[in-house]
Amino acid sequence: MSEIPQQLRYAESHEWVLDNGDGTVTIGITDHAQEALGDVVFVELPEIGRSLAAGDEFGVIESVKAASDLYAPVAGEVIEVNAELEDAPESVNEHPYTDAWLLKLRLTDADALEQLLDAEGYARLLDAQ
Amino acid sequence: MCSLKRTPLYSLHAEYGAKFVPFAGYEMPVQYALGVKREHEHTRAACGLFDVSHMGQVLLRGRDVARALEALAPGDFIDLEQGAQRYSFFTNPEGGLYDDFMTVNAGDHLYLVVNAACKDQDIALLRIGLDPSIDIVALDDRALLALQGPQAQAVMARICPEANRLLFMQHARFEVEGETLWISRSGYTGEDGFEISLPAAYAEAFARRLLGEPEVELIGLGARDSLRLEAGLCLYGHDIDEHTDPVSASLVWALAKCRRQGGEREGGFPGANVILPRLAERDELERRVGLLGEGRAPIREGTTLFDGEGREVGRVTSGTFGPTVGQPVAMGYVRAQATSLGTKLYAEVRGKRLPMEVVKLPFVPARYHRG
């Protein structure tokens, strides 16, 4: 079974969202997502300052098998991206919830987090698949 | 929906944590618990075991069978020594390729290994093209395993030491536990290794015996693809197909000298009138080259290639991130003026032009055992 931390929120497109409590969030992909992708070899992230609507494609993650699009779980402005992933993309497989965070957004709407799944909801989604 | 076939090792794959994918009508392991990257690295460092039982194994027997096969393929089968294996392809009248295959002269017969996706068509082609007096036997009761990597010979020394006498592209038959193994010193990884044909009923017991050796790990189709690509080897249906001729495909080395213009058995295979004149024009043809990416993004099949002036010059036919090379590796067809080694090209990926360089194949030096 893949790991689903309690303190995070989740999108149906398998990204996780951490509420930093200051109007910003940190986003990554779930353990389930990294496992399904297989060995990650490349991560393409957006420019800082870009505005994203919820559901916007913000980047691509490439594994040895295929390329997969990344989607913004909530709307916001990109304030930071994880530059470490450029040289160490395999970190997505090793530490999907910690070292391999993808980007930070300043939320357009703080309530948007309520729309996302909690850990139980995400676990049910995976069970149903 | 038609049901997928399974190889004799299906339950062994499942036991070792295989993820299965449909491939050429078979349910095949794409990777095991180790994952594609580690499976690739393990094969280059130690020894990988591949189940390739989906491939077609065909026996041809009859008078002048080698001569008869020369009517379908531009190889030199008449002079193929007993116990020797050679690479060739079935050509079509337009000069394209129906399939590529290996042939062994096994004394009283020829033994062919053909691609899984093409095997039914190949057998039909043989039935139509060869004299009815020649027996064509699809060896559906045999499995095929590949043991590949620098430690394959150390493993073989414990299982069937006599097989270590074989050199690259030699073949012989050996008794192990009362079963007859047909062993070729060849493979699809660029490493030293063996391809082992054996009775389907014995395949699982033999595979378990190999897996009991400390150097051996099961390797899936995912790593098989990145290994063969780093070795510069073509995948039928991607790098070569019915529309690519052997000259454009940079497979001139596989056109036997005696079948070329001025050779003692010049032509006489389908499409010879197209293929042979191309040999003289090869420097002007669009052809297959190796491409090394400068960044980290894999450049995949179907990607369009541009030159420094922004002109479209070709397309990628196979591409991935090469775990051993540590960079994106690809093969593709490019216009003649872009084929020189060192040429800078640009691959269009998601609206960006990523730099690549035309390089010599293979990407990783071959380590075949030539003695």
Side-chain angles (χ1 to χ4, degrees):
Chain A
M1 260 323 280
S2 60
E3 197 192 330
I4 307 174
Q6 280 297 325
Q7 73 277 21
L8 302 177
R9 292 290 187 140
Y10 298 89
E12 289 182 9
S13 46
H14 306 289
E15 290 87 9
W16 54 259
V17 179
L18 172 68
D19 184 357
N20 296 324
D22 59 356
T24 71
V25 291
T26 303
I27 293 168
I29 67 163
T30 65
D31 189 30
H32 169 83
Q34 70 76 19
E35 203 186 320
L37 283 168
D39 302 306
V40 171
V41 296
F42 177 70
V43 183
E44 186 173 285
L45 295 171
E47 314 242 307
I48 289 168
R50 193 173 142 196
S51 276
L52 297 171
D56 273 2
E57 209 179 291
F58 71 75
V60 171
I61 201 156
E62 296 240 22
S63 71
V64 284
K65 287 183 246 170
S68 303
D69 293 324
L70 294 163
Y71 299 98
V74 288
E77 184 195 334
V78 180
I79 53 169
E80 200 179 337
V81 297
N82 188 351
E84 305 274 315
L85 297 179
E86 203 171 310
D87 290 323
E90 64 278 4
S91 150
V92 174
N93 297 113
E94 293 155 6
H95 309 291
Y97 293 116
T98 52
D99 296 357
W101 59 275
L102 300 176
L103 76 172
K104 292 182 183 174
L105 293 183
R106 177 169 292 114
L107 289 171
T108 307
D109 170 13
D111 296 336
L113 291 176
E114 303 306 314
Q115 314 289 317
L116 297 171
L117 299 167
D118 59 11
E120 286 71 34
Y122 185 61
R124 276 196 300 275
L125 178 82
L126 296 187
D127 284 343
Q129 283 179 350
Chain B
M1 191 176 141
C2 60
S3 65
L4 293 169
K5 288 181 268 190
R6 292 175 172 182
T7 76
L9 295 185
Y10 180 86
S11 55
L12 180 77
H13 298 317
E15 187 184 313
Y16 276 79
K19 282 188 190 167
F20 291 96
V21 291
F23 183 83
Y26 284 80
E27 211 173 337
M28 294 298 290
V30 68
Q31 65 165 85
Y32 301 87
L34 214 51
V36 177
K37 186 167 169 250
R38 287 199 193 98
E39 289 171 27
H40 177 113
E41 290 164 347
H42 185 85
T43 307
R44 292 257 185 262
C47 183
L49 176 63
F50 303 72
D51 177 18
V52 286
S53 302
H54 59 310
M55 296 188 78
Q57 302 184 66
V58 185
L59 182 153
L60 304 178
R61 186 179 334 203
R63 233 184 106 127
D64 283 336
V65 63
R67 184 176 301 276
L69 187 59
E70 290 194 3
L72 299 176
D76 175 6
F77 304 113
I78 289 177
D79 300 319
L80 185 62
E81 285 170 31
Q82 186 170 339
Q85 176 172 275
R86 201 157 283 171
Y87 173 78
S88 190
F89 22 73
F90 295 117
T91 50
N92 67 32
E94 290 75 43
L97 306 177
Y98 282 131
D99 193 10
D100 62 342
F101 63 94
M102 287 289 187
T103 308
V104 166
N105 176 356
D108 73 336
H109 64 268
L110 295 178
Y111 163 59
L112 273 60
V113 178
V114 305
N115 280 300
C118 302
K119 63 183 170 186
D120 294 340
Q121 183 186 295
D122 291 340
I123 287 168
L125 192 75
L126 290 164
R127 290 201 197 288
I128 296 164
L130 300 183
D131 189 272
S133 68
I134 291 174
D135 285 332
I136 302 166
V137 186
L139 300 168
D140 297 328
D141 57 349
R142 296 190 76 83
L144 190 62
L145 302 177
L147 189 68
Q148 300 280 296
Q151 288 170 15
Q153 46 81 29
V155 173
M156 200 52 103
R158 281 169 244 139
I159 305 277
C160 179
E162 304 82 13
N164 276 335
R165 290 206 291 266
L166 296 172
L167 299 179
F168 180 58
M169 294 297 264
Q170 289 183 340
H171 176 100
R173 293 169 184 195
F174 305 94
E175 295 291 316
V176 171
E177 295 184 313
E179 305 281 353
T180 306
L181 306 185
W182 301 4
I183 302 184
S184 300
R185 193 137 197 182
S186 53
Y188 196 45
T189 60
E191 299 295 328
D192 180 25
F194 304 87
E195 290 173 298
I196 305 156
S197 167
L198 71 175
Y202 177 55
E204 186 174 331
F206 185 70
R208 285 190 192 280
R209 206 173 148 196
L210 291 173
L211 288 167
E213 299 298 325
E215 299 92 339
V216 182
E217 290 281 351
L218 274 168
I219 311 296
L221 290 182
R224 182 170 159 84
D225 191 53
S226 53
L227 288 159
R228 70 90 196 165
L229 183 48
E230 284 186 341
L233 300 170
C234 290
L235 175 60
Y236 188 83
H238 299 260
D239 308 300
I240 50 175
D241 61 29
E242 54 192 18
H243 304 295
T244 56
D245 69 85
V247 183
S248 306
S250 303
L251 294 173
V252 171
W253 57 272
L255 290 172
K257 293 266 189 332
C258 64
R259 313 297 305 279
R260 300 185 195 178
Q261 265 154 2
E264 58 188 275
R265 297 191 303 283
E266 174 182 328
F269 54 88
N273 57 333
V274 180
I275 295 168
L276 295 182
R278 291 209 163 186
L279 274 169
E281 309 158 2
R282 60 200 277 194
D283 292 342
E284 288 120 63
L285 294 177
E286 172 183 288
R287 56 192 190 274
R288 180 177 63 96
V289 297
L291 298 157
L292 187 64
E294 286 181 7
R296 289 201 61 116
I299 315 291
R300 304 208 188 253
E301 181 177 0
T303 303
T304 307
L305 296 164
F306 296 86
D307 66 9
E309 275 82 59
R311 288 173 300 206
E312 187 176 326
V313 291
R315 76 193 159 84
V316 171
T317 51
S318 280
T320 190
F321 187 85
T324 304
V325 175
Q327 280 173 264
V329 292
M331 300 198 288
Y333 284 74
V334 299
R335 286 196 200 152
Q337 71 270 18
T339 54
S340 311
L341 299 183
T343 303
K344 289 273 184 224
L345 297 177
Y346 297 85
E348 188 168 84
V349 179
R350 299 183 285 272
K352 288 185 197 152
R353 300 265 167 110
L354 306 179
M356 299 196 93
E357 186 181 331
V358 176
V359 297
K360 200 171 173 353
L361 292 171
F363 295 100
V364 171
R367 296 198 282 186
Y368 304 130
H369 181 65
R370 297 181 194 271

